Every structure is written in structure tokens, then in C-alpha cells.
Amino acid sequence: MRNCYDFGLDTHPRFCILSKPVYESLIFCSLIPNEDGLMPHDEIMTSREVADYLKLNARTVTQLAASGRLPAMKLGGRWRFKRSFLEKWLEQGLVEGFAHEVGLIETHEASADCTVASLIPDNGIVLPLEPGDAQDVVSQLVNVGVEHQFVTNAPILVDAIMEREETFSTALPSGVALPHPRFRMARVLRQPFIAVGVSPAGIEYGAPDGSLTHIFFLMCLRTDALHLRALARISHMARSDAFIERLKTCDESDTIRQCIIDEEQQIFGN
């Protein structure tokens, strides 16, 4: 069995075929302690764990894996999944149109009352972002949480987000990026929040098509359920070129917030 997975290695996304030896070697490498003697921040997941993570039926997970639509490998007769591959599949799929395969994320009852707009605190929109590199952008957005005393250790959070970006960039071809730590980082977050940054001129952030990124949604959330709901909603909204253009041309934070509220209301009804 071979599985397809888009690594975005070129300026135009392409599918890579993972043979059994290649996938096994990737999994093996993920289980080797680093130079500090610690396990790397990646996780090998079972079908049941993936089902719980995506809020899908376990049978649906195995069907997606068997059909090659979910990055996976059979080891010892059982499906195994690398979390970093799974996250990239999820983010890309929600934007590129196979969100129906993870459609239950949006309606998961554990976070049904939380909207993207409600997670953006007062003064949670940075307009405009100061020019700089990816870490400069992340630091500016993390400062939103610091100013509200939501974040107890900013350097650790910034490092975790940048580690996630180095694995796979969260920049999308639409000009939107969704920076977030790979794990929920509850130990450094007193309260979940989303910070929004807008760069009218654009910033190089590793988009797969080489384009500049203008809109940043920093997601610092404490649970997988809330993270997946926010990810699904933002990715869905990011499909609208008109919505992105409105955000890029807004000259006030309150206007950006209202655009997000209006778009959520139009798409999701709340």
C-alpha cells in the first residue's frame, strides 16, 4: 500500500508517493531522541487516536487511509499516522476543497459556542504588522497574548510556533497564514486566544506558490477540539477572495473584526 501526500515541495503543489521503506524510515527517525535526549515533538498515532483527534468515526479513518486519501502506513498489520503529516493534510484539505472528509470538525459539540471572532480579544488585531521575517510576525502576534496576560512564557510559545513552521509552513496560496504550535501548549496559556495580523504590503512566509502573505491568524488554543473548529472556520473563510481583499484593504481594527463577524455569520450562521 502506498499513500499520497502533498508536501508542497515546489512552487506548485504536487503529490509525493511514500513507499513503505520511506514511510517506515520517517517514522523510525521520529522515534530517535534528539541531542538533548528528548523525544522530538512529533507523534505516531493509531487509527483510534486519529478518529478522536479529527472527531471522525474510526471506520472513516481506516477507509481514508486504505484509499490513500489520508497519509498513513500499515505497520504490523495496523494503520499508523504521523501527526505532522496529518496536520498538513488537514490544513491543505480544508482550503483545497476536500473539507467534506473532515466535515464533522465544524459541528463538534465540545466547542459549538465558540466563534473565531469571540476568541479575538480586545486589541487583538495588529494593523499594520511591522515588516520583518516569520519570527518577527509571530512575536508581534504572541505579544497580544502577553499584553492580556494570557501567555505565561512568550519565548517558549514563539519557539513552539516557529518549530511548527519549520516542519510545514502554515502559509496558504490565498495570502493567509495560520501560525500555531503543533501541540496545544496549555502549560503556557492561561486563556485561549486568536490574534490577527494584517500586512497590506505582504510578508514572505513560505507560501507554497511563493506569494506574499497578508493576513495572519495566530491560533493559541488549549484543546484539540477548539483548535480544529477554529482551523476549519478560518480555512473555510480563507477560500473567499472577496473576504481576503476586504481584510487587506481595511484601515481600522474594528472594521477587520466586523468583517470576520459578518463572514462567520454568512457562512456558519453565528
Side-chain angles (χ1 to χ4, degrees), residues 92-156:
Q92 188 167 13
L94 287 169
V95 173
E96 293 188 350
F98 53 88
H100 61 282
E101 294 177 346
V102 287
L104 293 180
I105 293 170
E106 166 53 31
T107 57
H108 181 51
E109 62 182 4
S111 53
D113 295 332
C114 290
T115 65
V116 171
S118 71
L119 290 165
I120 303 172
D122 293 339
N123 301 318
I125 298 172
V126 182
L127 173 69
L129 284 166
E130 295 293 329
D133 59 18
Q135 185 159 339
D136 293 328
V137 170
V138 169
S139 295
Q140 291 178 68
L141 295 174
V142 167
N143 279 339
V144 169
V146 173
E147 291 171 0
H148 285 80
Q149 298 185 340
F150 295 161
V151 177
T152 62
N153 193 318
I156 286 180

Side-chain angles (χ1 to χ4, degrees), residues 3 53 63 67 78 93 102-103 105 110 113 135 140 146 148 181 189 191 210 220 222 242-243 247 255 269:
N3 288 73
Y53 177 57
Q63 288 175 342
S67 67
R78 298 180 182 275
V102 287
I105 293 170
D113 295 332
Q135 185 159 339
Q140 291 178 68
V146 173
H148 285 80
L189 289 174
Q191 183 172 324
C220 295
R222 291 169 57 90
F243 172 63
L247 294 184
T255 308

